[in-house]
Coordinates of all heavy atoms in Angstrom, one line a residue:
M1 N -24.1 -1.5 -5.8 CA -22.9 -0.7 -5.7 C -21.7 -1.7 -5.5 O -21.7 -2.5 -4.6 CB -23.0 0.3 -4.7 CG -21.8 1.2 -4.5 SD -21.7 2.9 -4.9 CE -22.5 3.4 -6.3
E2 N -20.6 -1.3 -6.2 CA -19.4 -2.1 -6.0 C -18.7 -1.7 -4.8 O -18.5 -0.5 -4.4 CB -18.6 -1.8 -7.3 CG -17.8 -3.0 -7.8 CD -17.1 -2.6 -9.1 OE1 -17.5 -1.7 -9.8 OE2 -16.2 -3.4 -9.5
S3 N -18.2 -2.7 -4.0 CA -17.3 -2.4 -2.8 C -16.0 -2.0 -3.3 O -15.5 -2.4 -4.3 CB -17.3 -3.6 -1.9 OG -16.5 -4.6 -2.4
S4 N -15.2 -1.4 -2.4 CA -13.9 -0.8 -2.7 C -13.0 -2.0 -3.0 O -12.0 -1.8 -3.8 CB -13.3 0.1 -1.6 OG -13.2 -0.6 -0.4
S5 N -13.2 -3.2 -2.4 CA -12.2 -4.3 -2.7 C -12.4 -4.8 -4.1 O -11.7 -5.6 -4.6 CB -12.5 -5.4 -1.7 OG -13.8 -6.0 -1.9
H6 N -13.5 -4.4 -4.8 CA -13.8 -4.9 -6.1 C -13.6 -3.8 -7.2 O -13.8 -3.9 -8.4 CB -15.1 -5.5 -6.2 CG -15.4 -6.8 -5.5 ND1 -15.6 -6.8 -4.2 CD2 -15.2 -8.1 -5.8 CE1 -15.7 -8.1 -3.8 NE2 -15.4 -8.8 -4.8
K7 N -13.3 -2.6 -6.7 CA -13.0 -1.5 -7.7 C -11.8 -1.8 -8.5 O -10.8 -2.4 -8.1 CB -12.8 -0.2 -7.0 CG -13.9 0.4 -6.4 CD -13.6 1.7 -5.7 CE -14.9 2.4 -5.1 NZ -14.4 3.8 -4.6
K8 N -11.9 -1.4 -9.9 CA -10.7 -1.6 -10.7 C -9.7 -0.6 -10.3 O -9.9 0.6 -9.9 CB -11.2 -1.3 -12.2 CG -12.1 -2.3 -12.7 CD -11.5 -3.6 -12.8 CE -12.5 -4.7 -13.5 NZ -11.9 -6.0 -13.7
F9 N -8.4 -1.0 -10.5 CA -7.2 -0.2 -10.0 C -6.5 0.3 -11.2 O -6.1 -0.6 -12.0 CB -6.3 -1.1 -9.0 CG -5.0 -0.5 -8.8 CD1 -5.0 0.9 -8.4 CD2 -3.9 -1.2 -8.9 CE1 -3.7 1.5 -8.0 CE2 -2.7 -0.6 -8.6 CZ -2.6 0.7 -8.3
I10 N -6.3 1.5 -11.3 CA -5.5 2.2 -12.4 C -4.2 2.8 -11.9 O -4.3 3.6 -10.9 CB -6.5 3.2 -13.1 CG1 -7.7 2.6 -13.7 CG2 -5.7 4.0 -14.2 CD1 -8.6 3.6 -14.3
L11 N -3.2 2.5 -12.6 CA -1.9 3.2 -12.3 C -1.8 4.2 -13.3 O -1.7 3.9 -14.5 CB -0.7 2.1 -12.3 CG 0.7 2.8 -12.0 CD1 0.7 3.5 -10.7 CD2 1.8 1.9 -12.2
L12 N -1.5 5.5 -12.8 CA -1.3 6.6 -13.7 C 0.2 7.0 -13.6 O 0.6 7.2 -12.5 CB -2.3 7.8 -13.2 CG -2.0 9.1 -14.0 CD1 -2.3 9.0 -15.4 CD2 -3.0 10.1 -13.2
I13 N 0.9 6.9 -14.8 CA 2.3 7.2 -14.8 C 2.4 8.5 -15.6 O 2.3 8.6 -16.8 CB 3.2 6.1 -15.5 CG1 2.9 4.8 -14.8 CG2 4.7 6.4 -15.4 CD1 3.7 3.6 -15.4
E14 N 2.6 9.6 -14.8 CA 2.5 11.0 -15.3 C 3.4 11.9 -14.5 O 3.2 11.9 -13.3 CB 1.0 11.4 -15.3 CG 0.8 12.9 -15.7 CD 1.2 13.3 -17.1 OE1 0.7 12.8 -18.0 OE2 2.1 14.1 -17.1
D15 N 4.3 12.6 -15.1 CA 5.1 13.6 -14.3 C 4.6 15.0 -14.2 O 5.0 15.7 -13.4 CB 6.4 13.6 -15.0 CG 6.6 14.1 -16.4 OD1 5.5 13.8 -17.1 OD2 7.5 14.9 -16.8
E16 N 3.6 15.3 -15.0 CA 3.0 16.6 -14.9 C 2.0 16.7 -13.9 O 0.9 16.0 -14.0 CB 2.4 17.1 -16.3 CG 3.3 17.3 -17.4 CD 4.3 18.5 -17.2 OE1 3.7 19.5 -16.6 OE2 5.3 18.6 -17.8
E17 N 2.2 17.4 -12.7 CA 1.3 17.3 -11.6 C -0.1 17.7 -11.8 O -1.0 17.2 -11.3 CB 2.0 18.1 -10.5 CG 1.4 17.8 -9.1 CD 2.2 18.1 -7.9 OE1 3.5 18.3 -8.1 OE2 1.7 18.1 -6.8
V18 N -0.3 18.9 -12.6 CA -1.6 19.3 -12.8 C -2.4 18.4 -13.6 O -3.5 18.0 -13.2 CB -1.6 20.8 -13.6 CG1 -3.0 21.1 -13.9 CG2 -1.0 21.8 -12.7
I19 N -1.9 17.8 -14.6 CA -2.5 16.8 -15.5 C -2.8 15.5 -14.6 O -3.9 15.0 -14.6 CB -1.7 16.4 -16.7 CG1 -1.6 17.6 -17.6 CG2 -2.3 15.3 -17.5 CD1 -0.6 17.5 -18.7
G20 N -1.8 15.0 -13.8 CA -1.9 13.9 -13.1 C -3.1 13.9 -12.0 O -3.8 13.1 -11.9
N21 N -3.0 15.2 -11.3 CA -4.0 15.3 -10.3 C -5.4 15.4 -10.9 O -6.4 14.9 -10.3 CB -3.7 16.6 -9.5 CG -2.6 16.5 -8.6 OD1 -2.2 15.3 -8.3 ND2 -1.8 17.6 -8.2
L22 N -5.6 16.1 -12.1 CA -6.9 16.1 -12.6 C -7.3 14.8 -13.1 O -8.5 14.4 -12.8 CB -6.8 17.1 -13.9 CG -8.1 17.3 -14.8 CD1 -9.2 17.9 -14.0 CD2 -7.7 18.0 -16.1
L23 N -6.5 14.0 -13.7 CA -6.9 12.7 -14.2 C -7.2 11.8 -12.9 O -8.2 11.0 -13.0 CB -5.8 12.0 -15.0 CG -5.6 12.5 -16.4 CD1 -4.3 12.0 -17.1 CD2 -6.8 12.1 -17.3
Q24 N -6.4 11.9 -12.0 CA -6.7 11.0 -10.8 C -8.0 11.3 -10.1 O -8.7 10.5 -9.8 CB -5.5 11.2 -9.8 CG -5.7 10.3 -8.5 CD -4.4 10.4 -7.6 OE1 -3.6 11.2 -7.8 NE2 -4.4 9.5 -6.6
K25 N -8.3 12.6 -9.9 CA -9.6 13.1 -9.4 C -10.8 12.6 -10.2 O -11.7 12.1 -9.6 CB -9.6 14.6 -9.1 CG -10.8 15.0 -8.6 CD -10.7 16.5 -8.1 CE -9.9 16.5 -7.0 NZ -9.9 17.8 -6.1
R26 N -10.6 12.9 -11.6 CA -11.8 12.3 -12.3 C -11.9 10.8 -12.3 O -13.1 10.4 -12.3 CB -11.5 12.8 -13.8 CG -11.7 14.3 -13.9 CD -11.7 14.7 -15.4 NE -12.1 16.1 -15.4 CZ -12.8 16.6 -16.4 NH1 -13.4 16.0 -17.3 NH2 -13.1 18.0 -16.3
L27 N -10.9 10.1 -12.4 CA -11.0 8.6 -12.3 C -11.5 8.1 -10.9 O -12.4 7.2 -10.9 CB -9.7 8.0 -12.6 CG -9.2 8.2 -14.1 CD1 -7.7 7.8 -14.2 CD2 -10.1 7.3 -15.0
E28 N -11.1 8.8 -9.9 CA -11.6 8.4 -8.5 C -13.0 8.8 -8.4 O -13.8 7.9 -7.9 CB -10.8 9.1 -7.4 CG -9.5 8.6 -7.3 CD -8.5 9.3 -6.4 OE1 -8.9 10.4 -6.1 OE2 -7.5 8.7 -5.9
N29 N -13.5 9.9 -8.9 CA -14.9 10.3 -9.0 C -15.8 9.4 -9.9 O -17.0 9.1 -9.6 CB -15.1 11.7 -9.5 CG -14.6 12.8 -8.5 OD1 -14.6 12.5 -7.3 ND2 -14.4 13.9 -9.0
A30 N -15.1 8.7 -10.8 CA -15.9 7.7 -11.7 C -15.9 6.3 -11.0 O -16.5 5.4 -11.5 CB -15.2 7.6 -12.9
G31 N -15.2 6.1 -9.8 CA -15.3 4.9 -9.0 C -14.1 4.1 -9.1 O -14.2 2.9 -8.6
Y32 N -12.9 4.5 -9.7 CA -11.8 3.7 -9.8 C -10.8 4.0 -8.5 O -10.8 5.1 -8.1 CB -11.0 4.0 -11.1 CG -11.7 3.6 -12.2 CD1 -12.6 4.6 -12.9 CD2 -11.8 2.3 -12.7 CE1 -13.2 4.3 -14.0 CE2 -12.6 1.9 -13.9 CZ -13.3 2.9 -14.5 OH -14.0 2.6 -15.6
L33 N -10.0 3.0 -8.2 CA -8.8 3.2 -7.2 C -7.7 3.7 -8.1 O -7.3 3.0 -9.2 CB -8.6 2.1 -6.6 CG -9.6 1.5 -5.6 CD1 -9.2 0.1 -5.0 CD2 -9.8 2.4 -4.6
V34 N -7.0 4.8 -7.8 CA -5.9 5.3 -8.6 C -4.7 5.6 -7.8 O -4.8 6.1 -6.7 CB -6.4 6.6 -9.3 CG1 -5.3 7.1 -10.2 CG2 -7.7 6.4 -10.1
K35 N -3.6 5.1 -8.3 CA -2.2 5.6 -7.6 C -1.5 6.1 -8.8 O -1.7 5.9 -10.1 CB -1.5 4.4 -7.1 CG -2.0 3.8 -5.9 CD -1.0 2.9 -5.2 CE -1.6 2.2 -4.0 NZ -1.7 3.3 -2.9
M36 N -0.6 7.1 -8.5 CA 0.2 7.8 -9.4 C 1.7 7.7 -9.3 O 2.2 7.8 -8.1 CB -0.2 9.3 -9.5 CG 0.4 10.2 -10.6 SD -0.3 11.7 -10.9 CE -0.4 12.5 -9.4
A37 N 2.4 7.4 -10.4 CA 3.9 7.5 -10.4 C 4.3 8.6 -11.2 O 3.7 9.0 -12.2 CB 4.4 6.2 -11.0
K38 N 5.5 9.3 -10.8 CA 5.8 10.5 -11.5 C 7.0 10.3 -12.4 O 7.6 11.2 -12.9 CB 6.2 11.6 -10.5 CG 4.7 12.1 -9.8 CD 5.0 13.2 -8.9 CE 3.7 13.7 -8.3 NZ 3.7 14.9 -7.5
D39 N 7.5 9.0 -12.5 CA 8.6 8.8 -13.4 C 8.5 7.2 -13.8 O 7.8 6.4 -13.2 CB 9.9 9.0 -12.8 CG 10.4 8.2 -11.6 OD1 10.6 7.0 -11.9 OD2 10.3 8.7 -10.6
G40 N 9.1 6.9 -14.9 CA 9.0 5.6 -15.4 C 9.5 4.5 -14.5 O 8.9 3.4 -14.4
L41 N 10.6 4.6 -13.9 CA 11.2 3.6 -13.1 C 10.2 3.3 -11.8 O 10.0 2.2 -11.4 CB 12.6 4.1 -12.5 CG 13.7 4.0 -13.6 CD1 15.0 4.4 -12.9 CD2 13.8 2.6 -14.1
T42 N 9.8 4.4 -11.3 CA 8.7 4.2 -10.2 C 7.5 3.5 -10.6 O 6.9 2.6 -10.0 CB 8.4 5.5 -9.5 OG1 9.6 6.2 -9.0 CG2 7.5 5.4 -8.4
G43 N 7.1 3.9 -11.8 CA 5.9 3.2 -12.5 C 6.1 1.8 -12.7 O 5.2 1.0 -12.3
V44 N 7.2 1.4 -13.2 CA 7.5 0.0 -13.4 C 7.5 -0.8 -12.0 O 6.9 -1.8 -11.8 CB 8.8 -0.3 -14.1 CG1 9.1 -1.8 -14.1 CG2 8.7 0.1 -15.5
A45 N 8.1 -0.2 -11.0 CA 8.1 -0.8 -9.6 C 6.7 -0.9 -9.1 O 6.3 -2.0 -8.5 CB 9.0 0.0 -8.7
M46 N 5.9 0.1 -9.3 CA 4.4 0.1 -8.8 C 3.7 -0.9 -9.6 O 2.8 -1.6 -9.0 CB 3.9 1.5 -8.9 CG 4.4 2.4 -7.9 SD 3.8 4.1 -8.0 CE 2.2 3.8 -7.3
I47 N 3.9 -1.2 -10.8 CA 3.2 -2.2 -11.6 C 3.5 -3.6 -11.0 O 2.6 -4.4 -10.7 CB 3.6 -2.2 -13.0 CG1 3.0 -0.9 -13.7 CG2 3.2 -3.6 -13.8 CD1 3.6 -0.7 -15.1
H48 N 4.8 -3.9 -10.5 CA 5.1 -5.1 -9.9 C 4.5 -5.2 -8.6 O 4.1 -6.2 -8.1 CB 6.6 -5.2 -9.7 CG 7.2 -5.5 -11.1 ND1 8.7 -5.4 -11.2 CD2 6.9 -5.7 -12.3 CE1 9.0 -5.6 -12.4 NE2 8.0 -5.8 -13.1
D49 N 4.5 -4.1 -7.7 CA 4.1 -4.1 -6.4 C 2.5 -4.1 -6.3 O 2.0 -4.8 -5.5 CB 4.5 -2.8 -5.7 CG 6.0 -2.8 -5.5 OD1 6.6 -3.8 -5.5 OD2 6.4 -1.6 -5.1
F50 N 1.8 -3.4 -7.1 CA 0.3 -3.3 -7.0 C -0.5 -4.1 -8.1 O -1.7 -4.2 -7.9 CB 0.0 -1.9 -7.0 CG 0.6 -1.0 -5.9 CD1 1.6 -0.1 -6.1 CD2 0.2 -1.3 -4.6 CE1 2.2 0.6 -5.1 CE2 0.7 -0.6 -3.5 CZ 1.7 0.4 -3.8
Q51 N 0.2 -4.6 -9.1 CA -0.6 -5.3 -10.2 C -2.0 -4.6 -10.5 O -3.1 -5.1 -10.3 CB -0.9 -6.7 -9.6 CG 0.4 -7.4 -9.4 CD 0.2 -8.8 -8.8 OE1 -0.8 -9.2 -8.5 NE2 1.4 -9.5 -9.0
P52 N -1.9 -3.5 -11.2 CA -3.1 -2.7 -11.6 C -3.8 -3.4 -12.6 O -3.2 -4.3 -13.4 CB -2.4 -1.4 -12.1 CG -1.2 -1.6 -12.6 CD -0.7 -2.8 -11.7
D53 N -5.1 -3.0 -12.9 CA -5.9 -3.5 -13.9 C -5.6 -2.8 -15.3 O -5.9 -3.3 -16.3 CB -7.3 -3.3 -13.5 CG -7.8 -4.1 -12.3 OD1 -7.6 -5.4 -12.4 OD2 -8.1 -3.6 -11.3
L54 N -5.2 -1.6 -15.0 CA -4.9 -0.7 -16.4 C -3.8 0.2 -15.9 O -3.7 0.8 -14.9 CB -6.1 0.1 -16.7 CG -6.1 1.1 -17.8 CD1 -5.8 0.5 -19.2 CD2 -7.4 2.0 -17.8
V55 N -2.9 0.6 -16.9 CA -1.9 1.6 -16.8 C -2.2 2.7 -17.8 O -2.4 2.5 -19.0 CB -0.5 1.0 -17.0 CG1 0.5 2.2 -17.1 CG2 -0.1 0.0 -16.0
L56 N -2.3 4.0 -17.4 CA -2.3 5.2 -18.2 C -0.9 5.8 -18.2 O -0.4 6.1 -17.2 CB -3.3 6.1 -17.6 CG -4.8 5.7 -17.6 CD1 -5.6 6.8 -17.2 CD2 -5.2 5.3 -19.1
L57 N -0.2 5.7 -19.4 CA 1.2 6.0 -19.5 C 1.5 7.3 -20.4 O 1.1 7.4 -21.5 CB 1.9 4.8 -20.2 CG 3.3 4.8 -20.4 CD1 4.2 5.1 -19.2 CD2 3.8 3.6 -21.2
D58 N 2.2 8.2 -19.7 CA 2.7 9.4 -20.4 C 4.0 8.9 -21.0 O 4.8 8.0 -20.6 CB 3.1 10.5 -19.3 CG 3.5 11.7 -20.1 OD1 3.4 11.9 -21.3 OD2 4.0 12.5 -19.3
M59 N 4.4 9.4 -22.2 CA 5.5 9.0 -23.0 C 6.8 9.7 -22.6 O 7.9 9.3 -22.7 CB 5.3 9.0 -24.5 CG 4.3 8.0 -24.9 SD 4.5 6.3 -24.4 CE 5.8 5.8 -25.5
I60 N 6.6 10.9 -22.2 CA 7.8 11.8 -21.9 C 7.8 11.9 -20.3 O 7.2 12.6 -19.7 CB 7.6 13.3 -22.5 CG1 7.5 13.2 -24.0 CG2 8.8 14.1 -22.1 CD1 7.1 14.5 -24.7
L61 N 8.8 11.1 -19.8 CA 8.9 10.9 -18.4 C 10.4 11.0 -18.0 O 11.1 10.7 -18.8 CB 8.4 9.7 -17.9 CG 6.9 9.3 -18.1 CD1 6.7 7.8 -18.0 CD2 6.1 10.1 -17.1
P62 N 10.6 11.5 -16.8 CA 12.1 11.4 -16.2 C 12.4 10.0 -15.8 O 11.6 9.1 -15.7 CB 12.0 12.3 -15.0 CG 10.5 12.4 -14.6 CD 9.7 12.2 -15.8
R63 N 13.7 9.8 -15.9 CA 14.3 8.5 -15.4 C 14.1 7.4 -16.3 O 15.1 6.6 -16.6 CB 13.9 8.2 -14.0 CG 14.4 9.1 -13.0 CD 14.0 8.8 -11.5 NE 14.4 7.4 -11.2 CZ 14.1 6.8 -10.2 NH1 13.1 7.3 -9.4 NH2 14.6 5.7 -9.8
L64 N 12.9 7.1 -16.9 CA 12.7 6.1 -17.8 C 11.5 6.6 -18.6 O 10.4 6.6 -18.1 CB 12.4 4.7 -17.2 CG 12.2 3.6 -18.1 CD1 13.4 3.3 -18.9 CD2 11.8 2.3 -17.3
D65 N 11.7 6.8 -20.0 CA 10.5 7.3 -20.7 C 9.4 6.2 -21.0 O 9.6 5.1 -20.7 CB 10.9 8.0 -22.0 CG 11.6 7.1 -23.0 OD1 11.4 5.8 -22.9 OD2 12.1 7.6 -24.1
G66 N 8.4 6.7 -21.6 CA 7.2 5.7 -21.9 C 7.7 4.5 -22.7 O 7.3 3.4 -22.5
F67 N 8.6 4.8 -23.7 CA 9.0 3.6 -24.6 C 9.8 2.7 -23.7 O 9.7 1.5 -23.9 CB 9.8 4.2 -25.7 CG 9.1 5.0 -26.7 CD1 9.2 6.4 -26.7 CD2 8.2 4.4 -27.6 CE1 8.4 7.2 -27.6 CE2 7.5 5.2 -28.4 CZ 7.6 6.5 -28.6
G68 N 10.6 3.1 -22.7 CA 11.4 2.3 -21.9 C 10.5 1.5 -21.0 O 10.8 0.3 -20.7
V69 N 9.4 2.1 -20.5 CA 8.5 1.4 -19.7 C 7.9 0.3 -20.5 O 7.8 -0.9 -20.1 CB 7.4 2.3 -19.0 CG1 6.3 1.6 -18.4 CG2 7.9 3.4 -18.1
L70 N 7.4 0.5 -21.7 CA 6.8 -0.5 -22.5 C 7.8 -1.6 -22.8 O 7.3 -2.7 -22.8 CB 6.3 0.2 -23.9 CG 5.1 1.1 -23.7 CD1 4.8 1.8 -25.0 CD2 3.9 0.3 -23.2
E71 N 9.0 -1.3 -23.1 CA 10.0 -2.2 -23.4 C 10.3 -3.2 -22.2 O 10.4 -4.3 -22.4 CB 11.4 -1.6 -23.8 CG 12.4 -2.4 -24.4 CD 13.6 -1.7 -24.8 OE1 13.4 -0.8 -25.6 OE2 14.7 -2.1 -24.5
K72 N 10.3 -2.6 -21.0 CA 10.5 -3.4 -19.8 C 9.4 -4.4 -19.5 O 9.5 -5.6 -19.3 CB 10.7 -2.5 -18.5 CG 12.2 -2.0 -18.3 CD 12.2 -1.4 -17.0 CE 13.7 -1.3 -16.5 NZ 14.4 -2.5 -16.4
L73 N 8.2 -3.8 -19.8 CA 7.0 -4.6 -19.5 C 6.8 -5.7 -20.5 O 6.3 -6.8 -20.2 CB 5.7 -3.7 -19.5 CG 5.6 -2.6 -18.5 CD1 4.4 -1.8 -18.6 CD2 5.7 -3.3 -17.1
Y74 N 7.3 -5.4 -21.8 CA 7.3 -6.5 -22.9 C 8.3 -7.5 -22.5 O 8.0 -8.7 -22.6 CB 7.5 -5.8 -24.2 CG 7.5 -6.8 -25.3 CD1 6.2 -7.3 -25.8 CD2 8.7 -7.3 -25.9 CE1 6.2 -8.1 -26.8 CE2 8.6 -8.1 -26.9 CZ 7.4 -8.7 -27.4 OH 7.3 -9.6 -28.4
E75 N 9.5 -7.0 -22.1 CA 10.6 -8.0 -21.8 C 10.2 -9.0 -20.7 O 10.6 -10.2 -20.6 CB 11.8 -7.4 -21.5 CG 12.5 -6.7 -22.7 CD 13.7 -5.8 -22.2 OE1 13.9 -5.6 -21.0 OE2 14.3 -5.2 -23.2
E76 N 9.5 -8.4 -19.7 CA 9.1 -9.2 -18.5 C 7.8 -9.9 -18.8 O 7.2 -10.5 -17.9 CB 8.9 -8.2 -17.3 CG 10.3 -7.6 -17.0 CD 10.2 -6.6 -15.9 OE1 9.1 -6.3 -15.3 OE2 11.1 -5.9 -15.6
K77 N 7.3 -9.8 -20.0 CA 6.0 -10.6 -20.4 C 4.7 -10.1 -19.6 O 3.9 -10.8 -19.4 CB 6.2 -12.1 -20.3 CG 7.3 -12.6 -21.3 CD 7.2 -14.0 -21.5 CE 8.5 -14.5 -22.3 NZ 9.1 -13.7 -23.4
I78 N 4.7 -8.9 -19.2 CA 3.7 -8.3 -18.4 C 2.6 -7.8 -19.4 O 1.4 -7.9 -19.1 CB 4.1 -7.2 -17.4 CG1 5.0 -7.8 -16.3 CG2 3.0 -6.4 -16.9 CD1 5.7 -6.8 -15.5
I79 N 3.1 -7.4 -20.5 CA 2.2 -7.0 -21.5 C 2.3 -8.1 -22.7 O 3.4 -8.6 -22.9 CB 2.3 -5.6 -22.2 CG1 3.8 -5.3 -22.6 CG2 1.8 -4.6 -21.2 CD1 4.0 -3.9 -23.2
P80 N 1.3 -8.5 -23.3 CA 0.1 -7.8 -23.7 C -1.0 -8.1 -22.5 O -2.2 -7.5 -22.6 CB -0.4 -8.3 -24.9 CG 0.1 -9.8 -25.1 CD 1.4 -9.6 -24.2
A81 N -0.8 -8.9 -21.5 CA -1.8 -9.2 -20.5 C -2.3 -8.0 -19.8 O -3.5 -7.8 -19.5 CB -1.3 -10.3 -19.5
L82 N -1.4 -7.0 -19.6 CA -1.8 -5.7 -18.9 C -2.1 -4.7 -19.9 O -1.3 -4.3 -20.7 CB -0.6 -5.3 -18.0 CG -0.9 -3.9 -17.2 CD1 -2.0 -3.9 -16.3 CD2 0.5 -3.5 -16.5
P83 N -3.3 -4.2 -19.9 CA -3.6 -3.1 -20.8 C -3.0 -1.8 -20.5 O -2.9 -1.4 -19.4 CB -5.2 -2.9 -20.7 CG -5.7 -3.9 -19.6 CD -4.5 -4.6 -19.1
V84 N -2.4 -1.1 -21.5 CA -1.6 0.1 -21.3 C -2.2 1.1 -22.3 O -2.2 0.8 -23.6 CB -0.1 -0.1 -21.5 CG1 0.5 1.2 -21.3 CG2 0.4 -1.1 -20.5
I85 N -2.6 2.3 -21.8 CA -3.2 3.3 -22.6 C -2.2 4.4 -22.7 O -1.7 4.9 -21.6 CB -4.5 3.8 -22.3 CG1 -5.5 2.7 -22.4 CG2 -4.9 5.1 -23.1 CD1 -6.9 3.2 -21.9
I86 N -1.7 4.8 -23.8 CA -0.6 5.9 -24.0 C -1.4 7.2 -24.1 O -2.3 7.3 -25.0 CB 0.2 5.5 -25.1 CG1 1.0 4.2 -24.8 CG2 1.2 6.6 -25.3 CD1 1.8 3.7 -26.0

């Protein structure tokens, strides 16, 4: 069994609370560590702070939409090294 220090970390950027909570619970039940950001700017900051293994990205977000998040990550050369699923 994998210890929690070796679990894969997923950042979920989703503003719809019901969808976000459902995805977070399912991913945690599957053995992942999950944090959630409710807008694009917070999501970008959390990517810098926590360096996730994967980002699940909603495209319609407040403050900075998914395209803006992708553009920032590309400009900062964070992607393509960081996998992002839209």
Side-chain angles (χ1 to χ4, degrees):
M1 175 112 322
E2 221 174 336
S3 72
S4 63
S5 65
H6 292 86
K7 286 184 177 182
K8 294 291 184 179
F9 170 49
I10 298 173
L11 177 62
L12 175 59
I13 306 176
E14 172 62 65
D15 64 322
E16 294 289 334
E17 195 157 343
V18 172
I19 294 170
N21 290 338
L22 176 66
L23 287 171
Q24 184 171 10
K25 183 171 281 198
R26 287 193 175 215
L27 291 166
E28 287 173 345
N29 287 342
Y32 297 98
L33 295 174
V34 181
K35 287 194 180 286
M36 187 165 49
K38 294 188 178 183
D39 66 73
L41 288 178
T42 302
V44 170
M46 290 177 75
I47 289 168
H48 290 167
D49 291 346
F50 298 111
Q51 300 175 343
D53 296 298
L54 173 69
V55 173
L56 297 179
L57 177 63
D58 184 13
M59 294 308 284
I60 302 170
L61 296 165
R63 296 180 58 199
L64 182 66
D65 68 12
F67 293 109
V69 171
L70 290 171
E71 187 174 316
K72 277 191 161 303
L73 297 179
Y74 182 77
E75 288 171 358
E76 296 173 7
K77 302 198 184 330
I78 294 172
I79 54 176
L82 174 64
V84 177
I85 296 175
I86 298 170

